[in-house]
Amino acid sequence: MGAFALIAFGWLGRKVRSDLAGGMTIGDYMRSKLHPFGYWTMIAILLITSIEGMFVQGMAGGVLLNILFGLPIPLGLLCFFVFCVLFAGIGGIRTIHRFANVQIVITFATAILIPVYFFIGKGVEHVFNGLRLYHPYLLVLNNHEGMLFIVTGVLIGFGQVFVDQATWQRLYMMEEKKVVPTFLLSGLIFATIPLAFSAMIFIVLFSGGFHDIFSLLFELVRKIDTLFLLVLFVLCSFGAITSAFGAGLHSMISLMVNNVYQLFRPEASERQKIRLGYTLAIVTGAVSFCLTLYFTPTLLDLLFFFGIIYASLFLPVIVIILTRGRASNFIIISAIAGLASGYISRLYVDNMKAIWIASSVTALVLLLYLCIASVHKHYMRTKART
Amino acid sequence: MISFEGFTLLILFFILAPIIEAIALLFLFIFEKRIDLLENRNVKIELEKELQQALYNQLNQQIQPHFLFNTLNVILSLARLNRTRELVRALEVLSQFLKFKYKSTEPLISLQREIDYTEQYLEIQKLRFGSRLSIQLDCADDLLSACIPPFVLQTLVENAFKHGLERKMGEALLKIRISSEDEEVRLEVIDNGSSGMEDLSHEAPPTEEPQLEKSGHGLDNIRRRLHLCFGDHAQLSLSPIEEGGTQVLVVWPFVLCDPYESEVRG
């Protein structure tokens, strides 16, 4: 899902870099393209999405610690947060990038070795028979619900990639001529790694049913009976979550410091900015910890709940990037309309439909705005001629 | 419903895709720096080319005042001698010559065009020398389209006058022979004037190799331009003739010029 989104973002990235070459964050770009109302609304939405992103990754880290060491999820989440804040907050982007190569090696080793080991050990026929017995719906080609789920995932994936602050920060870090090939390659990696992990999920599914995603992970860990592969899997999972969390935390701090704090206090020193960054990281960790004490949503619930935001932002962000000069506030209003309709409709329909309603409303409002803008432009041109 | 074979293929794809991706990534990691290096080298080569072009243009520009002052001296001599008709003709030819000269910016021109330029110069000299000057020009037709850096022949002829024929009493003979041998063009400019070696040795820097190889500003310029265009494949040598006079030999690879371009420009 994210694969296509990353490849598409690479193409848009070129336009972004040519529009504003000297930026550093998504906030810098939005500031140059939006009016104050649109800018601050966008910053508020971005802040919510980055906190949500960290919360989801924190939850995943907590769950993993729970599965491996039996730690309660809130405690596991807190440990994970402390580790990540120390890793990304203090180490900075350099530490994240230093571990990136090791993480890639571990991820590929896991994605290649574990499926090969299991499919050779168990035999493809056993897995196939198990799946046919317990989960025959997975083997049906015209599974409409499954298709809808995948398409919805693509929609959310596009939105998630297009507003992801870490992706924008990376876009501004690389050489301009390497933007398209880098995102193309990242997209290809994103396409193959999930395939390998799907193969791993088959290994778990073939021997019985499952309760939720957490139980699937628990089963997978239980099934990996070789210590080497288990260590590899744990390192891969932690590496992926930690680096994603680290990059997310770092980009959120950059956004807050550069695009919010500096506008209110331009005379602030570098030390003050760094202190604010740490405070933000600690506050996010504390808030996430408190949230998990009261409710433990599943990762799928979170994905759908926040999917409404991503589905509503996906089209407006494209229109903002493609607009020449400053983009109108109506583009942001279309996103707000989508968000409102998505969350209201969620009270009456299921999550997946709410996501589609949100994105459809955004698309309609945007289309209306674009039509009016085009007619207005045409009228003004004709008037000027006469 | 997916069949067992289909499922096996699917699993095979799921397993192979990351392996292929990992190999591609590894390949990219290993060769990324090399690719960057190659790109940088290309840029460097482009820059060097630009620099060479700039240097070449500069050398081309350098030769123009050199020729101009010599010709102005010829015209001045005609004026001093009150040879008005010849003076007018000389100015007319000079004007035509300069018109071509200042228009020419390409690094290589056809031998035909070079001969045309030189003939205009010779016209000026003929006016000055009158019947005392005899010129022999031998060039096979198939060599007329060979490429040559501009002003090579003209500079050699000019040097023959400046260092040889100017001081010659009696008949002044200038031979221009253009022939080909082993895919190379040989250009010989022979005069029967004083050998002029002493003269040339004054102009050339003292570090130059043998005495015979010493040359003035014009010859040095030709050497450098030939080297820029043909590298070590081109050479220029200067030698005295026993019966009196100097022979200059230039050899460079035979490269055909665009006939259409030469036609249009010529």
Side-chain angles (χ1 to χ4, degrees):
Chain A
M1 297 169 198
F4 301 112
L6 273 171
I7 294 168
F9 188 71
W11 291 104
L12 281 179
R14 227 166 30 171
K15 170 89 171 58
V16 169
R17 287 289 294 263
S18 64
D19 279 352
L20 180 75
M24 279 167 75
T25 60
I26 183 174
D28 291 343
Y29 183 77
M30 292 301 167
R31 208 173 151 207
S32 73
K33 291 285 279 194
L34 295 172
H35 297 283
F37 166 76
Y39 173 67
W40 288 112
T41 313
M42 190 55 123
I43 290 288
I45 297 172
L46 288 177
L47 197 65
I48 294 168
T49 56
S50 60
I51 290 174
E52 175 265 336
M54 277 189 282
F55 182 66
V56 171
Q57 278 141 12
M59 278 280 295
V63 168
L64 209 64
L65 283 174
N66 173 263
I67 292 167
L68 290 171
F69 307 110
L71 277 179
I73 289 181
L75 194 63
L77 183 136
L78 191 68
C79 291
F80 181 74
F81 260 89
V82 171
F83 172 72
C84 286
V85 168
L86 289 176
F87 173 70
I90 297 171
I93 198 77
R94 276 188 200 162
T95 322
I96 299 168
H97 283 178
R98 207 172 293 157
F99 281 96
N101 288 343
V102 182
Q103 193 218 320
I104 289 172
V105 173
I106 293 173
T107 308
F108 270 104
T110 313
I112 293 166
L113 293 179
I114 295 179
V116 170
Y117 174 81
F118 276 105
F119 279 101
I120 290 174
K122 308 281 178 196
V124 182
E125 198 170 358
H126 275 107
V127 178
F128 178 72
N129 289 335
L131 280 179
R132 203 164 56 173
L133 185 68
Y134 293 110
H135 309 280
Y137 55 90
L138 284 177
L139 301 169
V140 177
L141 283 173
N142 55 352
N143 181 351
H144 295 298
E145 263 190 37
M147 286 304 287
L148 185 69
F149 180 77
I150 290 170
V151 176
T152 313
V154 170
L155 186 71
I156 296 172
F158 264 83
Q160 217 159 11
V161 169
F162 282 22
V163 295
D164 181 38
Q165 291 140 56
T167 313
W168 277 76
Q169 227 177 349
R170 285 182 188 124
L171 169 73
Y172 271 118
M173 274 178 199
M174 61 185 79
E175 279 180 60
E176 198 172 341
K177 63 173 182 180
K178 287 188 179 171
V179 167
V180 176
T182 307
F183 277 102
L184 186 73
L185 194 73
S186 311
L188 288 175
I189 294 172
F190 247 88
T192 54
I193 299 294
L195 292 183
F197 282 89
S198 317
M200 281 190 217
I201 296 299
F202 285 157
I203 296 159
V204 181
L205 288 175
F206 91 98
S207 54
F210 67 98
H211 183 249
D212 54 24
I213 290 180
F214 296 157
S215 70
L216 268 178
L217 276 173
F218 185 75
E219 275 298 306
L220 184 64
V221 172
R222 205 175 58 83
K223 278 202 180 231
I224 302 172
D225 45 10
T226 320
L227 184 67
F228 168 69
L229 290 181
L230 186 66
V231 170
L232 204 63
F233 180 75
V234 171
L235 282 178
C236 166
S237 314
F238 267 115
I241 306 167
T242 311
S243 67
F245 186 93
L249 183 69
H250 186 266
S251 53
M252 188 198 75
I253 291 172
S254 305
L255 185 81
M256 286 304 291
V257 170
N258 285 328
N259 303 108
V260 180
Y261 188 60
Q262 200 163 4
L263 297 183
F264 290 109
R265 291 196 54 190
E267 76 287 352
S269 66
E270 280 303 306
R271 179 172 269 190
Q272 281 174 310
K273 287 179 189 171
I274 292 168
R275 201 182 300 148
L276 174 85
Y278 289 147
T279 317
L280 269 173
I282 291 162
V283 168
T284 314
V287 170
S288 306
F289 174 68
C290 296
L291 280 173
T292 44
L293 280 180
Y294 294 104
F295 69 103
T296 319
T298 65
L299 290 175
L300 209 60
D301 287 341
L302 283 172
L303 180 78
F304 279 131
F305 184 77
F306 289 100
I308 293 174
I309 300 180
Y310 296 123
S312 314
L313 278 181
F314 157 55
L315 284 174
V317 169
I318 294 179
V319 176
I320 289 169
I321 294 172
L322 295 179
T323 305
R324 276 188 204 156
R326 279 199 187 262
S328 163
N329 280 340
F330 279 102
I331 299 171
I332 291 295
I333 289 170
S334 72
I336 298 171
L339 279 174
S341 59
Y343 283 110
I344 292 167
S345 60
R346 201 172 163 270
L347 301 172
Y348 307 101
V349 293
D350 64 72
N351 277 320
M352 221 179 314
K353 278 183 188 145
I355 286 170
W356 282 102
I357 289 171
S359 86
S360 311
V361 169
T362 308
L364 276 175
V365 176
L366 257 182
L367 197 69
L368 198 70
Y369 159 70
L370 289 174
C371 288
I372 292 169
S374 142
V375 168
H376 179 72
K377 208 172 161 184
H378 182 73
Y379 172 74
M380 290 301 280
R381 211 179 277 165
T382 324
K383 203 178 167 188
R385 263 185 217 156
T386 52
Chain B
M1 184 104 174
I2 299 172
S3 64
F4 173 64
E5 288 76 23
F7 183 75
T8 312
L9 283 175
L10 197 71
I11 294 298
L12 200 67
F13 175 68
F14 282 10
I15 290 172
L16 283 180
I19 295 175
I20 294 165
E21 186 68 41
I23 293 167
L25 210 61
L26 194 71
F27 186 79
L28 201 81
F29 271 140
I30 294 168
F31 291 103
E32 194 195 8
K33 276 190 184 153
R34 208 165 285 181
I35 292 166
D36 281 352
L37 201 74
L38 277 174
E39 271 180 16
N40 288 343
R41 201 175 287 170
N42 275 345
V43 170
K44 204 179 153 194
I45 288 169
E46 283 296 313
L47 282 175
E48 274 175 1
K49 245 188 211 170
E50 290 285 319
L51 190 71
Q52 282 198 346
Q53 184 67 44
L55 185 68
Y56 187 84
N57 289 342
Q58 195 191 359
L59 290 171
N60 258 353
Q61 291 299 314
Q62 246 178 32
I63 203 157
Q64 285 165 0
H66 179 224
F67 159 78
L68 190 68
F69 294 130
N70 280 353
T71 316
L72 283 175
N73 281 334
V74 171
I75 294 169
L76 189 67
S77 313
L78 289 171
R80 277 191 183 136
L81 293 168
N82 280 330
R83 287 158 70 174
T84 322
R85 197 187 294 167
E86 287 97 329
L87 179 69
V88 171
R89 175 71 187 139
L91 283 170
E92 197 182 340
V93 176
L94 178 69
S95 154
Q96 281 174 359
F97 181 81
L98 289 179
K99 193 179 161 193
F100 276 115
K101 196 169 184 85
Y102 284 102
K103 269 168 123 185
S104 131
T105 50
E106 55 269 70
L108 290 167
I109 58 166
S110 68
L111 206 49
Q112 173 73 66
R113 281 177 72 195
E114 180 66 10
I115 292 172
D116 289 347
Y117 288 147
T118 314
E119 276 178 343
Q120 277 165 337
Y121 173 79
L122 286 171
E123 183 109 358
I124 299 168
Q125 294 293 18
K126 269 184 203 162
L127 290 166
R128 201 176 149 221
F129 281 75
S131 59
R132 212 157 55 83
L133 177 66
S134 53
I135 299 164
Q136 285 178 20
L137 174 65
D138 299 323
C139 177
D141 283 350
D142 56 331
L143 292 178
L144 288 175
S145 51
C147 275
I148 185 173
F151 319 122
V152 168
L153 176 60
Q154 185 268 320
T155 309
L156 295 179
V157 169
E158 193 187 330
N159 269 347
F161 278 97
K162 190 184 168 191
H163 304 292
L165 302 175
E166 294 274 355
R167 296 162 195 181
K168 171 80 181 165
M169 304 293 282
E171 194 193 12
L173 183 67
L174 179 74
K175 285 183 192 166
I176 301 169
R177 277 206 298 254
I178 303 167
S179 55
S180 69
E181 199 181 293
D182 300 332
E183 294 297 307
E184 280 181 332
V185 184
R186 287 167 65 87
L187 164 67
E188 286 168 279
V189 177
I190 304 158
D191 66 76
N192 69 339
S194 63
S195 72
M197 286 298 161
E198 310 79 33
D199 230 37
L200 290 170
S201 65
H202 288 300
E203 278 189 47
T207 47
E208 284 278 354
E209 290 163 357
Q211 185 72 11
L212 285 177
E213 286 297 308
K214 288 190 174 173
S215 63
H217 168 71
L219 293 189
D220 193 39
N221 181 293
I222 293 175
R223 268 204 191 94
R224 286 164 68 187
R225 285 194 296 141
L226 283 170
H227 185 77
L228 278 176
C229 293
F230 305 109
D232 293 334
H233 299 291
Q235 50 181 310
L236 185 150
S237 60
L238 185 75
S239 53
I241 302 171
E242 273 177 26
E243 53 267 32
T246 313
Q247 181 192 29
V248 185
L249 172 70
V250 185
V251 183
W252 73 95
F254 179 84
V255 182
L256 269 177
C257 266
D258 182 3
Y260 174 74
E261 193 182 319
S262 359
E263 199 177 301
V264 168
R265 291 185 186 267

